[in-house]
Amino acid sequence: MPEFCDVALAVPLDMVFTYRVPADAAPVVGGRVLVPFRQQRMTGVVVELHDHEPSVATKKLISVLDSAPVLDQVLLRLARWIANYYLAPLGEVCRSMLPLMAEFKRAVGYRIGEAGEMALHLAGMSGSSARSRRSPQEQAVEFQVLDYMAGTSGELVRETTLRSATHASRKILQGMVRKKWLVREDLSAPQEANRTVKVALLKSVDRKLNQNQRTLVESLAGCGGKLPIEHLQGLAVPRTTLGTLVKRGLVEIAEEPADFKVSGARPRPSPFDFDFTPAQQSALARLRQAVEARSFSGMLMHGVTGSGKTAVYLAGMRAVLEAGRSAILLVPEIGLTPAVAADLHQIFGDEVAILHSALTDRERAEQWHRIKSGDARIVVGTRSAVFAPVGDLALIIVDEEHDSSYKQEETPRYHARDIAVMRAKMCNAVVVLGSATPSLESYFNARQSKYALIELPDRVEKRPLPEVAIVDMRLEFQETGHEQVISRTLASEIKDRIERREQVMVLLNRRGYSPVVLCRTCGKKLECNNCAIALTHHKREHRMICHYCGYTAAVPNACAHCGSEYVYFLGTGSEKLEELLHGMFPQARIARLDRDTVRGHQDFERTLSALNEGELDVLVGTQMIAKGHDIHGVTLVGVVGADVALGLPDFRAAERTFQLLTQVAGRAGRGQSPGKVILQTYFQDHYAVQYAARHDFIGFYEKELQFRSWMHYPPYSALANVLVRSDQLDDALEWSGRLGKWFNQTRHEGVRVLGPAAAPIMRLKRDYRYHFVLKSPSREKLNTTLRSMLAYAAQQKIPRTQVIVDMDALWLM
Ligand SMILES: [Zn+2]
Ligand SMILES: [Zn+2]
């Protein structure tokens, strides 16, 4: 056995740590070990075993957690690639690849220190010290703790035991550790995987329920009367509500096997119910051929909305499964509804593992074990499912590959689509990127023959794409004499549909009631305390809310700056739009879908299935309504404020607007009756609006590519955003200044550096923010420059967590 092992730990440092291997331990590369790190115990992944004694003293590892690798060779190679490409610490990369944290139980113990024994002794002689700044209550608790510890004859006492015996807060214990009265020890240890979950069972229903109780009971009833307790904690009701219901005998708590599935959604007709079009057949044939070749190939499947891409994916995955191999399907956050899960279970049975954001840590770990053991060979999931430990991977599909939820906005800031391509390369698999509105990067790559391009140009069953009419809102203002939210055209079309018993979707991509509160006397906006962002008025909650950090404030009667009573609520969000529509069409059944009405995936599913069953006439919502839903009764889509994004200082604004407009328009006319789209805009001449109205992706692509080429933006340049942040303005200014000077004084051939400049959102979540934008036609040069910048920052003692490198950044805000 080698004497040493290098371990990647999830700490913000760009290095691995060397530990000595005890004689009786047998760590494996790719397996986890428990090691001492600073004053605690941590788990890390072994990345190398060797015999080179480091120059500094090494500690021994505490124990080996896995006798076989949890990250196989390919995944470990992928981890190194990600750490290098995204300039992220390897340990943090490994942590996001492994959902196994739930199997590691954190625990802390204390023993009494010499200073503690002395303090107890002195207190016994003369009472407590009069000079202390602590309150008498705090002192009383401290002595109670010492007294308790003295009775344990120097033994280690677990924090939980100590706290329940003495009612000492964590803060008090921490203070005692600082005074060396107590010695703290980390007792964290691996935990036996718990194979059961606690579930709540609905027994009976009583009429006399309060609002919270009703919410809970309805959620249970909506899912077949049974839900894991952890899911109920996602509901906005107090924890005591469940206890009350149990006491009243309405709900019972029971244990279920951990792989218990949430039921409730009815499977829809099988996606194989209709005949494949020739285009679908040929796409499937090319996909199967590539898989059989057992070498890497990439495909971009560009299919208009409603062209049946999903059916091709599922048929391809079924073929892979029949060949005894594995496949991964990635979907955007919002794409994985219980209805989709029900479809997948119907097609793949127990061979499918589904990974979504509503899973608890333990459920996620359970799914991980099913995949690792080979019980589940088909994996469907959001972003991190790209790391699923499947064996013999044949196919990875990235559905809606342009979707921004594939980019992780915290360290490591990876893009799951790009990881999918890299993983497929490393294991000779096929990767398929699918979208009606491919990202500029992917379409560019297809044009450069990096990917094979597969086109699905028509909708299934020869259904036409919807007709799109643009309403110029400047003209609407001139003709009606006042600012309109819903134009006369849109209003009359909605009225028509309601009368014909057809359904309508209206998109306004901004939630809340009014996005801006303005003082007419001093002109100031009401801003968040933590961010340089206007607070949004939410009428139902009667609060002002920051959409970036969640800060809330009371709805003002007077200006916070000058005291004037002339405060005005301006603009329209989805909540107000819903109210306006109720006013205009009092007889219509209207619902809203946005982050305020959707608290859990059940709410989302409930609203969509109500629309599907014809129980709704109009659905209002944010971009949530634009994505992938296949509702046949919708014949009209109205877009209100289509161009909000076009006003943002962001080079991807046109691309995002084009994608959103095309996607939402794609919701119309998916059934027997043809669809229509009314697009209200203040920028009717903007090419993103014009090409979306004509369903002309290629036209948009060519035009946008010209702009990107002139401005040296992706796909012509690699781009990175470097953010320097601190809750102290002086630090943020000084650090970004120092880095700016360094960029100026050092030669970086072939790399353009812009900045430092205040970030467009200058303050966010209490941090002041400055940034640099770096562009280069050479990824390698860009990577080298950033790496030396980080080394310089470390040398200057700028904390690693305060300098964020975002490679291939999607947002420069
Ligand atoms: Zn004012
Ligand atoms: Zn905020």
Side-chain angles (χ1 to χ4, degrees):
M1 195 71 215
E3 260 185 273
F4 299 98
C5 63
D6 288 349
V7 179
L9 292 173
V11 291
L13 294 167
D14 294 295
M15 57 191 294
V16 293
F17 301 87
T18 305
Y19 289 89
R20 190 178 290 276
V21 179
D24 57 343
V28 289
V29 171
R32 292 168 306 156
V33 287
L34 187 63
V35 295
F37 183 77
R38 293 181 180 159
Q39 303 317 313
Q40 17 165 352
R41 294 170 166 204
M42 287 188 83
T43 46
V45 173
V46 177
V47 292
E48 211 178 323
L49 292 165
H50 58 84
D51 288 314
H52 324 296
E53 174 139 23
S55 50
V56 291
T58 49
K59 292 180 186 169
K60 265 196 224 166
L61 64 83
I62 300 167
S63 65
V64 173
L65 304 184
D66 303 300
S67 54
V70 286
L71 289 178
D72 66 18
Q73 277 185 2
V74 170
L75 288 175
L76 208 51
R77 227 176 109 205
L78 195 61
R80 288 185 192 275
W81 182 84
I82 293 169
N84 177 57
Y85 183 94
Y86 292 99
L87 295 105
L90 183 59
E92 298 200 328
V93 175
C94 291
R95 179 180 52 188
S96 39
M97 292 173 88
L98 287 171
L100 300 175
M101 295 303 150
E103 300 181 347
F104 181 74
K105 196 169 178 214
R106 293 222 155 271
V108 168
Y110 296 94
R111 71 177 93 240
I112 192 162
E114 269 178 42
E117 280 171 1
M118 184 66 81
L120 192 61
H121 181 65
L122 291 175
M125 290 184 355
S126 62
S128 59
S129 150
R131 280 174 300 136
S132 174
R133 276 186 287 130
R134 291 162 290 133
S135 71
Q137 290 95 324
E138 277 176 338
Q139 293 181 36
V141 176
E142 284 184 350
F143 283 99
Q144 209 185 337
V145 170
L146 288 180
D147 204 38
Y148 181 87
M149 297 299 289
T152 60
S153 52
E155 287 209 4
L156 204 63
V157 178
R158 285 185 171 266
E159 186 180 74
T160 42
T161 316
L162 185 58
R163 287 186 59 194
S164 63
T166 62
H167 303 288
S169 67
R170 273 221 174 92
K171 199 170 144 223
I172 286 187
L173 294 178
Q174 277 163 4
M176 294 177 74
V177 170
R178 269 197 299 276
K179 287 188 287 192
K180 301 206 161 44
W181 286 11
L182 293 180
V183 179
R184 184 178 187 274
E185 267 185 53
D186 194 329
L187 299 173
S188 303
Q191 188 182 28
E192 274 305 302
N194 193 343
R195 303 273 150 177
T196 60
V197 287
K198 280 211 165 97
V199 297
L201 292 171
L202 186 60
K203 291 314 238 186
S204 63
V205 182
D206 189 330
R207 282 171 181 281
K208 280 175 270 160
L209 295 177
N210 67 28
Q211 181 62 42
N212 287 329
Q213 294 164 345
R214 204 157 47 230
T215 306
L216 205 147
V217 164
E218 280 171 3
S219 304
L220 270 173
C223 294
K226 182 158 86 174
L227 265 183
I229 287 183
E230 282 146 293
H231 284 247
L232 292 176
Q233 282 156 6
L235 299 172
V237 301
R239 278 164 180 270
T240 48
T241 307
L242 180 62
T244 313
L245 290 171
V246 170
K247 257 182 239 151
R248 286 172 59 180
L250 302 180
V251 172
E252 192 183 292
I253 308 289
E255 298 260 337
E256 288 274 336
D259 56 358
F260 144 83
K261 291 182 196 78
V262 180
S263 70
R266 270 159 289 166
R268 296 174 297 183
S270 159
F272 303 114
D273 273 358
F274 55 85
D275 294 331
F276 273 28
T277 63
Q280 283 176 307
Q281 278 168 18
S282 125
L284 180 60
R286 287 177 69 181
L287 200 161
R288 294 184 68 158
Q289 221 171 23
V291 167
E292 278 154 25
R294 288 184 179 255
S295 62
F296 168 74
S297 71
M299 296 180 175
L300 176 65
M301 196 185 294
H302 173 219
V304 299
T305 55
S307 60
K309 292 183 289 292
T310 308
V312 177
Y313 304 152
L314 296 177
M317 288 160 72
R318 199 164 59 169
V320 164
L321 188 63
E322 279 161 8
R325 305 179 67 198
S326 304
I328 299 174
L329 169 62
L330 299 183
V331 294
E333 300 283 6
I334 210 73
L336 206 48
T337 62
V340 172
D343 284 356
L344 291 163
H345 280 297
Q346 195 192 3
I347 299 166
F348 299 113
D350 288 340
E351 297 261 27
V352 67
I354 297 180
L355 302 168
H356 56 83
S357 53
L359 294 182
T360 62
D361 284 354
R362 203 193 291 148
E363 289 168 324
R364 196 173 290 278
E366 186 66 34
Q367 294 293 323
W368 188 93
H369 284 293
R370 283 185 60 223
I371 299 164
K372 180 80 180 161
S373 68
D375 288 346
R377 286 181 299 133
I378 296 288
V379 177
V380 182
T382 49
R383 188 171 62 226
S384 65
V386 74
F387 302 123
V390 294
D392 197 10
L393 180 63
L395 175 65
I396 310 184
I397 297 167
V398 186
D399 187 22
E400 310 289 355
E401 65 89 28
H402 65 277
D403 196 283
S404 57
S405 71
Y406 287 125
K407 180 79 158 61
Q408 173 145 301
E409 296 294 351
E410 59 190 66
T411 309
R413 299 177 165 251
Y414 68 87
H415 197 302
R417 173 196 60 215
D418 300 339
I419 304 302
V421 174
M422 190 45 66
R423 186 169 178 191
K425 267 185 193 160
M426 287 179 178
C427 48
N428 285 322
V430 174
V431 63
V432 177
L433 313 179
S435 177
T437 51
S439 61
L440 270 254
E441 283 91 339
S442 294
Y443 201 78
F444 183 78
N445 282 335
R447 282 279 182 91
Q448 306 275 307
S449 303
K450 277 196 192 166
Y451 305 140
L453 184 61
I454 299 178
E455 301 270 2
L456 298 175
D458 303 305
R459 285 189 157 185
V460 296
E461 296 177 354
K462 299 205 173 62
R463 286 175 197 144
L465 282 167
E467 173 203 340
V468 181
I470 297 180
V471 176
D472 184 346
M473 293 305 280
R474 291 167 306 183
L475 213 60
E476 187 78 9
F477 177 70
Q478 284 167 17
E479 288 174 11
T480 61
H482 46 261
E483 207 76 45
Q484 297 286 348
V485 176
I486 296 164
S487 63
R488 292 161 299 171
T489 318
L490 181 56
S492 94
E493 295 272 359
I494 294 176
K495 183 164 170 283
D496 270 9
R497 295 310 184 288
I498 293 173
E499 280 165 5
R500 298 205 313 245
R501 299 228 139 259
E502 293 175 2
Q503 292 172 308
V504 182
M505 278 188 183
V506 186
L507 172 94
L508 172 54
N509 201 17
R510 188 165 52 195
R511 66 194 174 91
Y513 196 81
S514 297
V516 178
V517 175
L518 187 74
C519 169
R520 281 276 155 95
T521 305
C522 73
K524 288 203 168 109
K525 289 177 191 168
L526 183 59
E527 278 196 354
C528 173
N529 262 9
N530 309 322
C531 314
I533 292 287
L535 290 174
T536 300
H537 177 217
H538 285 249
K539 194 175 176 186
R540 193 178 63 174
E541 274 137 292
H542 196 60
R543 297 296 286 174
M544 303 299 300
I545 301 178
C546 172
H547 287 180
Y548 286 79
C549 73
Y551 171 83
T552 74
V555 179
N557 299 318
C559 171
H561 303 282
C562 72
S564 156
E565 285 171 17
Y566 295 97
V567 284
Y568 283 72
F569 294 74
L570 302 177
T572 305
S574 52
E575 189 184 7
K576 186 165 164 190
L577 178 62
E578 184 193 7
E579 193 181 278
L580 282 170
L581 286 164
H582 270 302
M584 292 168 81
F585 308 104
Q587 77 286 15
R589 299 161 300 171
I590 301 174
R592 171 161 58 97
L593 209 52
D594 57 29
R595 284 234 306 281
D596 300 313
T597 60
V598 174
R599 298 283 174 192
H601 58 167
Q602 299 142 25
D603 298 332
F604 183 72
E605 188 58 26
R606 203 174 300 141
T607 307
L608 275 186
S609 79
L611 188 68
N612 209 11
E613 306 279 323
E615 291 158 14
L616 288 175
D617 301 307
V618 181
L619 181 64
V620 177
T622 55
Q623 57 173 339
M624 241 182 214
I625 67 170
K627 296 189 177 178
H629 320 303
D630 193 15
I631 311 275
H632 285 196
V634 176
T635 57
L636 177 69
V637 168
V639 184
V640 175
D643 32 31
V644 180
L646 290 176
L648 297 176
D650 185 337
F651 76 95
R652 291 185 199 270
E655 186 181 8
R656 285 206 181 93
T657 303
F658 176 82
Q659 287 167 347
L660 180 61
L661 294 181
T662 307
Q663 295 284 348
V664 73
R667 298 315 112 211
R670 298 174 76 98
Q672 297 308 321
S673 322
K676 183 163 184 182
V677 180
I678 307 284
L679 218 162
Q680 298 186 175
T681 178
Y682 285 93
F683 297 81
Q684 78 145 344
D685 299 324
H686 195 290
Y687 61 94
V689 174
Q690 285 292 334
Y691 285 117
R694 277 182 252 145
H695 305 290
D696 184 358
F697 172 78
I698 308 290
F700 171 76
Y701 167 81
E702 302 284 358
K703 179 89 185 174
E704 179 68 8
L705 211 54
Q706 252 173 25
F707 159 73
R708 299 282 181 96
S709 148
W710 292 332
M711 303 296 290
H712 302 281
Y713 276 127
Y716 291 100
S717 268
L719 175 145
N721 192 25
V722 175
L723 192 72
V724 181
R725 63 175 182 190
S726 170
D727 56 4
Q728 301 299 314
L729 178 59
D730 288 350
D731 283 344
L733 272 170
E734 196 196 317
W735 294 338
S736 56
R738 256 191 266 170
L739 293 180
K741 216 174 262 168
W742 180 82
F743 276 125
N744 276 335
Q745 289 166 355
T746 331
R747 258 177 74 80
H748 309 287
E749 209 184 315
V751 179
R752 291 158 174 259
V753 181
L754 308 170
I761 299 176
M762 159 72 189
R763 189 158 178 256
L764 187 67
K765 299 180 185 173
R766 292 179 179 266
D767 279 336
Y768 294 91
R769 309 160 83 238
Y770 286 81
H771 76 153
F772 299 87
V773 174
L774 278 71
K775 300 184 211 172
S776 174
S778 155
R779 291 197 161 278
E780 226 178 292
K781 283 181 182 158
L782 182 58
N783 188 288
T784 310
T785 301
L786 288 167
R787 201 161 290 284
S788 20
M789 184 272 297
L790 283 178
Y792 176 75
Q795 188 202 319
Q796 294 288 306
K797 304 262 183 293
I798 305 175
R800 176 69 163 94
T801 46
Q802 309 309 103
V803 181
I804 296 160
V805 175
D806 191 0
M807 183 58 94
D808 302 334
L810 289 190
W811 305 92
L812 300 180
M813 304 291 280

